[in-house]
Amino acid sequence: MNKEDLNQLPKAVTDTFKQPFVFLIFPELVQHFPARNWSQKQLMTKLHEILGETVYFDHWQGYLIAKNADEALIVLIPGYETLTDD
């Protein structure tokens, strides 16, 4: 998955990208889970659980996205510009 793949998502899907949800975007599937009132530490813990030890951050259309070297999945995190392990 890459940013060009995100550009191909239907508007009906991208319209749902809102807090307090985190979105898991696979090539053939978009899932979400609630992250209401989660701290940055809780989000980072979940990102490491999903993506592994090394997490890379980028931005797409104003959203923070995270992925790993495998790039099979993009995690979209509305409402955040950055996240750290601190």
Side-chain angles (χ1 to χ4, degrees):
M1 288 291 302
N2 57 46
K3 289 188 210 182
E4 290 76 28
D5 295 324
L6 293 176
N7 291 332
Q8 302 305 313
L9 292 171
K11 184 174 179 348
V13 171
T14 60
D15 284 348
T16 67
F17 292 164
K18 295 180 177 43
Q19 283 184 292
F21 295 97
V22 172
F23 296 84
L24 307 178
I25 305 169
F26 298 91
E28 301 296 324
L29 175 70
V30 177
Q31 296 178 309
H32 71 280
F33 61 88
R36 188 171 286 114
N37 299 320
W38 283 22
S39 68
Q40 285 194 30
K41 183 174 177 140
Q42 289 171 303
L43 282 169
M44 283 303 300
T45 298
K46 189 65 167 178
L47 288 176
H48 286 299
E49 180 183 310
I50 294 167
L51 297 171
E53 184 177 325
T54 304
V55 177
Y56 301 100
F57 291 101
D58 201 349
H59 290 88
W60 172 77
Q61 294 190 7
Y63 295 106
L64 179 65
I65 59 173
K67 55 188 174 179
N68 61 15
D70 184 38
E71 295 189 354
L73 161 69
I74 290 177
V75 181
L76 186 135
I77 311 141
Y80 286 87
E81 290 189 23
T82 62
L83 283 175
T84 63
D85 277 320
D86 299 336

